[in-house]
């Protein structure tokens, strides 16, 4: 480490080369020697000029103009403050006192970064390129290091119009680091860079799969930087979505991006419709666009769509399979208290059922078949559940009498989604649990049936259960709150028993690690899980669940009857069948 330099040159280096560093012999031709000498002496008078990369070129010009060596030596010596050498000396002292060399280097680099960000002059930086006409060697060296690439990203965000920084971002992308610049808005201004970043980000999301979608999507959201980036990305994904292999996954990502844009307050409905099949059906496009832009359904536009989708040659069903549009139906047909014109209700139900159940076969952009076999039964199920859910005169006891009907209708995926939304809106009312007398309210019991019938709705069910589990139910006393949370844990265990294992156990593991959950609830969960599981176990499950059992507050505190001890048996099984990683 003794030869390591932590600080080479001064922060002025960003603009110094622009001040005449790259000029050669011919630059001085025709200039007055006295003027050249004065210009050079002025530079020699600046602090630590001897450390600047341009020192040799300046000395050359000065001597060619007849300058005196004595003046140079005196000025460079008097103005030598040794900032870089002092930093290196202090760094060596810190290492001698026992500080880790990497920590010292990180401290120096972070301080230098903050200085550069504070004093960065985009005009001087741009002049580097106009004066030199080529990429400085030090710039290529800098982008090879993560620390300095991170500096350029921060500077690019602060100075989006700086040509030098835009060029540097492109250099970084060319060097293969495009995966790092997903959040840099500057990258969105250059098509070549943006295309590369988009390709890398999309590949990351596709490779990550469903379980990592929520984590990877925010980085991909840089496509929402502007209309041009959004249109470009959605156009590309629209083409990829038509591929037989992997097309459906790309379509899902495109829809998630649409939702993200909507949540951020952007109205991208016209782009969504233009990239679909709506352009061939202007009246449908106009009706859909109006409802999507306003975020609400209306009888006039619904009537337009109803007439088209009950005609002998209806538009493609894909036209109305826009997630944001289907969400509006959930609010109109399943939200408690939502008012819907009774004369038009059948039209709302028909369009939703059509979108959910009709199957079309296409070949070479021509529809060869249309299957409406499930349309009638789906419509009937939606209408039945709508009447049950939105009837303000029906209480919990009346719903219990209709449970068998609800269970039958929940078998339809679109109805299950509607019931899930309805349960969410209902149980989120502040006084809901205060008025409940049953150990398991009927609305929570419906979540079990949804988990049983629809694997794809498991994430939404768990999301609702987690929200309720973490909500402060201050209107209930302590014992009532514990009983409610045990009921919610029962629902989570049911989801686990239906195949949604790792996300449920991961959540409880986080609760244990954060120390914000009553330990008796964790013990309750463990006991319930041990009752429903049996070997063989996957290594992923063991890695998540075993540390919970081995926790001091859990192991040995679960009471068991007789000689059967499921905790000890599980731990023994795992230790004999798995190599445990600490």
């Amino acid at each position: 480490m003794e030869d390591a330099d932590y600080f080479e040159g001064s922060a002025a280096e960003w603009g110094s080369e622009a001040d005449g560093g790259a000029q050669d012999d011919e630059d001085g031709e025709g200039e007055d020697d006295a003027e050249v000498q004065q210009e050079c002496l002025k530079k020699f008078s600046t602090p630590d000029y001897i450390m600047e990369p341009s020192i040799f070129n300046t000395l050359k010009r000065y001597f060619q103009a007849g300058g005196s060596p004595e003046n140079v030596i005196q000025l460079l010596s008097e103005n030598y403050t040794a900032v870089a050498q002092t930093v290196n000396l202090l760094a060596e002292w810190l290492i001698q006192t026992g500080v880790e060399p990497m920590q010292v280097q990180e401290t120096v680099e972070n301080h230098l970064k903050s200085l550069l960000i504070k004093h960065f002059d985009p005009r001087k930086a741009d002049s580097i390129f106009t004066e030199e006409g080529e990429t400085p060697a030090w710039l290529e060296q800098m982008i090879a290091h993560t620390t300095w690439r991170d500096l350029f990203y921060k500077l690019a965000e602060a100075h989006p119009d700086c040509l030098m920084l835009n060029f540097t971002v492109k250099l970084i992308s060319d060097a293969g680091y495009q995966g790092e610049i997903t959040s840099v808005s500057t990258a969105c201004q250059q098509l070549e860079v943006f295309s590369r970043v988009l390709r890398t980000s999309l590949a990351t999301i596709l490779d990550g799969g469903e379980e990592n979608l929520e984590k990877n999507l925010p980085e991909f959201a840089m496509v929402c930087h502007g209309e041009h980036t959004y249109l470009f990305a959605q156009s590309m994904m629209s083409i990829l979505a038509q591929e037989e292999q992997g097309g459906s996954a790309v379509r899902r990502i495109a829809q998630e991006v649409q939702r993200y844009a909507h949540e951020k307050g952007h109205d991208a409905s016209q782009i969504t419709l233009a990239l679909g099949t709506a352009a061939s059906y202007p009246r449908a496009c106009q009706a859909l666009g109006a409802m999507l832009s306003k975020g609400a359904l209306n009888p006039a536009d619904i009537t337009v769509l109803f007439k088209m989708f009950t005609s002998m040659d209806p538009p493609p069903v894909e036209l109305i399979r826009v997630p944001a549009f289907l969400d509006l139906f959930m609010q109109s047909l399943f939200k408690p208290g939502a008012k819907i014109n009774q004369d038009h209700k059948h039209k709302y139900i028909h369009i939703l059922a059509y979108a959910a159940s009709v199957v079309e076969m296409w070949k070479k952009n021509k529809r060869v078949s249309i299957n409406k076999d499930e349309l009638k039964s789906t419509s009937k199920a939606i209408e039945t559940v709508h009447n049950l859910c939105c009837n303000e005169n029906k209480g919990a006891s009346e719903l219990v009498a209709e449970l068998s009907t609800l269970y039958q209708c929940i078998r339809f995926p679109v109805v299950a989604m509607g019931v899930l939304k309805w349960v969410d809106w209902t149980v989120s009312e502040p006084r809901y649990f205060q008025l409940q007398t049953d150990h398991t309210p009927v609305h929570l019991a419906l979540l079990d049936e949804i988990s049983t019938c629809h694997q794809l709705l498991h994430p939404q069910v768990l999301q609702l259960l987690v929200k309720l589990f973490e909500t402060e139910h201050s209107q209930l006393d302590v014992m009532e709150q514990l009983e409610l949370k045990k009921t919610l844990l029962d629902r989570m265990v049911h989801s686990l028993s239906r195949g949604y294992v790792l996300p449920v156990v991961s959540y409880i593991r986080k609760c244990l690690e954060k120390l914000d959950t009553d330990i008796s609830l964790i013990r309750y969960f463990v006991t319930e899980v041990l009752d429903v599981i049996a070997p063989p176990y996957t290594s992923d499950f063991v890695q998540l669940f075993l540390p919970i059992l081995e926790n001091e507050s859990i192991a040995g505190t679960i009471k068991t009857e007789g000689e059967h001890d499921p905790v000890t048996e599980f731990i023994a099984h795992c230790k004999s069948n798995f190599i445990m990683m600490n």
Side-chain angles (χ1 to χ4, degrees):
M1 284 299 300
E2 290 184 3
D3 296 329
D5 285 334
Y6 295 93
F7 191 104
E8 297 180 354
S10 70
E13 182 179 320
W14 286 82
S16 61
E17 295 197 38
D19 296 333
Q23 297 168 352
D24 52 28
D25 299 350
E26 285 88 40
D27 288 342
E29 287 185 11
E31 288 187 73
D32 184 80
D33 285 348
E35 286 181 10
V36 172
Q37 288 184 36
Q38 286 302 315
E39 181 189 333
C40 293
L41 288 171
K42 187 177 178 182
K43 291 181 180 179
F44 295 147
S45 301
T46 57
D48 268 347
Y49 190 74
I50 197 171
M51 299 296 297
E52 298 291 350
S54 56
I55 179 66
F56 295 110
N57 286 325
T58 310
L59 283 169
K60 195 175 180 180
R61 288 188 65 217
Y62 179 72
F63 290 134
Q64 285 176 342
S68 166
E70 290 80 6
N71 286 341
V72 176
I73 295 169
Q74 183 180 354
L75 286 173
L76 289 178
S77 302
E78 289 177 352
N79 291 287
Y80 178 56
T81 55
V83 171
Q85 284 68 26
T86 304
V87 170
N88 284 331
L89 180 61
L90 288 171
E92 292 298 331
W93 287 354
L94 285 171
I95 292 171
Q96 292 294 328
T97 60
V99 181
E100 287 292 325
M102 287 301 296
Q103 187 179 346
V104 174
Q105 183 173 337
E106 189 177 325
T107 302
V108 174
E109 287 176 346
N110 286 340
H111 182 66
L112 182 54
K113 276 169 65 177
S114 64
L115 284 176
L116 288 168
I117 290 170
K118 183 178 179 181
H119 298 290
F120 183 77
D121 185 342
R123 286 177 300 176
K124 277 190 176 183
D126 285 347
S127 66
I128 292 174
F129 290 89
T130 55
E131 292 286 345
E132 291 201 13
E134 61 182 6
T135 306
W138 55 262
L139 185 60
E140 292 182 342
Q141 292 169 9
M142 284 184 78
I143 65 172
H145 299 279
T146 305
T147 303
W148 305 123
R149 291 199 300 274
D150 183 61
L151 168 67
F152 283 119
Y153 302 150
K154 287 186 171 74
L155 289 172
E157 288 294 296
H159 306 281
D161 297 324
C162 178
L163 296 176
M164 175 263 195
L165 292 174
N166 284 336
F167 177 77
T168 305
V169 169
K170 184 177 183 301
L171 271 184
I172 292 172
S173 174
D174 291 342
Y177 302 110
Q178 62 268 18
E180 295 178 356
I181 53 181
T182 53
S183 60
V184 183
S185 58
T186 311
C188 300
Q189 308 300 332
Q190 305 177 63
L191 180 60
E192 185 181 346
V193 176
F194 180 73
S195 301
R196 205 176 284 146
V197 172
L198 180 64
R199 183 185 63 196
T200 303
S201 302
L202 189 57
T204 300
I205 291 183
L206 289 170
D207 292 340
E210 177 73 27
E211 58 273 13
N212 293 310
L213 181 61
E214 192 174 335
K215 181 180 75 176
N216 292 330
L217 193 63
E219 291 185 6
F220 190 68
M222 55 92 189
V223 302
C224 297
H225 171 74
E227 282 184 318
H228 61 297
T229 56
Y230 183 85
L231 177 59
F232 180 85
Q234 289 288 21
S235 299
M236 190 188 79
M237 288 191 286
S238 175
I239 295 168
L240 292 174
Q242 296 170 24
E243 297 288 328
E244 286 187 18
Q245 188 173 1
S248 57
V250 176
R251 186 180 298 109
R252 165 75 191 284
I253 295 168
Q255 291 172 348
E256 290 292 341
V257 171
Q258 289 168 19
R259 183 172 61 83
Y260 184 87
H262 180 72
E263 288 173 355
K264 294 297 179 183
H266 304 299
D267 181 12
S269 54
Q270 295 303 322
I271 292 176
T272 302
L273 295 173
L275 291 174
T277 53
S280 305
Y281 303 88
R283 287 182 64 223
C285 185
Q286 185 179 3
L288 274 167
M291 289 185 282
L292 287 170
S293 296
K294 293 176 183 175
L297 304 179
N298 65 76
D301 289 322
I302 286 292
T303 300
V304 171
L305 293 178
F306 178 75
K307 287 180 179 177
M308 296 182 77
F309 281 96
T310 51
S311 65
M312 294 300 293
D313 184 24
V317 67
E318 181 191 341
L319 185 69
I320 51 175
R321 281 183 177 159
V322 179
F325 184 53
L326 300 178
D327 282 342
L328 298 179
F329 280 99
M330 295 294 120
Q331 294 181 33
S332 296
L333 292 172
F334 296 99
K335 190 169 186 177
K339 303 296 180 185
I340 188 169
N341 189 314
Q342 293 300 308
D343 295 336
H344 296 280
K345 185 172 74 172
H346 69 284
K347 299 174 184 175
Y348 286 67
I349 292 171
H350 178 85
I351 294 172
L352 178 59
Y354 194 100
S357 64
V358 170
V359 180
E360 296 177 338
M361 294 292 291
W362 291 76
K363 281 187 180 178
K364 296 181 180 178
N365 295 324
K366 284 191 176 182
R367 183 165 51 199
V368 294
S369 69
I370 179 167
N371 187 331
K372 300 181 182 179
D373 292 350
E374 296 184 18
L375 178 58
K376 190 174 181 181
S377 57
T378 305
S379 296
K380 184 171 175 50
I382 294 173
E383 183 177 12
T384 301
V385 173
H386 164 74
N387 292 333
L388 287 173
C389 294
C390 294
N391 189 337
E392 296 178 358
N393 298 320
K394 279 190 181 291
S397 55
E398 286 86 352
L399 281 174
V400 172
E402 303 287 353
L403 265 184
S404 61
T405 303
L406 278 169
Y407 280 4
Q408 286 296 321
C409 295
I410 279 175
R411 296 180 184 280
F412 293 88
V414 65
V415 175
M417 189 68 193
V419 170
L420 179 57
K421 295 276 189 184
W422 170 67
V423 170
D424 190 351
W425 284 315
T426 303
V427 301
S428 297
E429 284 292 319
R431 297 179 67 246
Y432 173 79
F433 289 107
Q434 190 178 358
L435 301 174
Q436 292 300 316
T437 54
D438 296 332
H439 177 267
T440 305
V442 64
H443 296 87
L444 297 185
L446 289 170
L447 295 181
D448 284 354
E449 188 64 17
I450 292 172
S451 293
T452 299
C453 297
H454 303 286
Q455 187 178 2
L456 292 179
L457 289 180
H458 285 171
Q460 287 94 321
V461 171
L462 180 61
Q463 187 179 3
L464 172 55
L465 292 172
V466 167
K467 183 179 82 170
L468 294 173
F469 191 79
E470 295 178 353
T471 300
E472 286 287 332
H473 300 280
S474 53
Q475 71 276 18
L476 304 177
D477 64 38
V478 176
M479 291 306 296
E480 287 174 329
Q481 288 186 40
L482 279 175
E483 285 304 311
L484 169 59
K485 292 196 172 187
K486 284 182 179 179
T487 301
L488 295 170
L489 287 173
D490 286 338
R491 312 282 72 75
M492 291 187 195
V493 173
H494 178 78
S495 288
L496 180 146
S497 72
R498 306 314 300 176
Y500 201 54
V501 179
L502 298 183
V504 172
V505 180
S506 294
Y507 173 68
I508 299 300
R509 173 88 175 268
K510 285 176 188 170
C511 290
L512 179 64
E513 290 169 352
K514 287 192 294 184
L515 303 174
D516 62 353
T517 304
D518 191 307
I519 201 66
S520 67
L521 293 172
I522 307 288
R523 282 198 291 266
Y524 179 81
F525 173 82
V526 168
T527 305
E528 294 298 303
V529 170
L530 288 172
D531 277 346
V532 298
I533 63 173
Y537 307 116
T538 66
S539 60
D540 289 338
F541 173 71
V542 171
Q543 295 289 347
L544 278 173
F545 193 58
L546 185 59
I548 301 176
L549 286 183
E550 292 182 324
N551 185 282
E552 293 178 3
S553 304
I554 305 296
T557 60
I558 298 177
K559 296 178 181 178
T560 56
E561 296 179 4
E563 297 180 1
H564 179 59
D565 184 356
V567 176
T568 305
E569 289 175 6
F570 182 83
I571 293 174
H573 175 84
C574 293
K575 301 226 164 159
S576 63
N577 289 277
F578 293 91
I579 299 173
M580 302 313 300
M581 303 292 290
N582 292 327

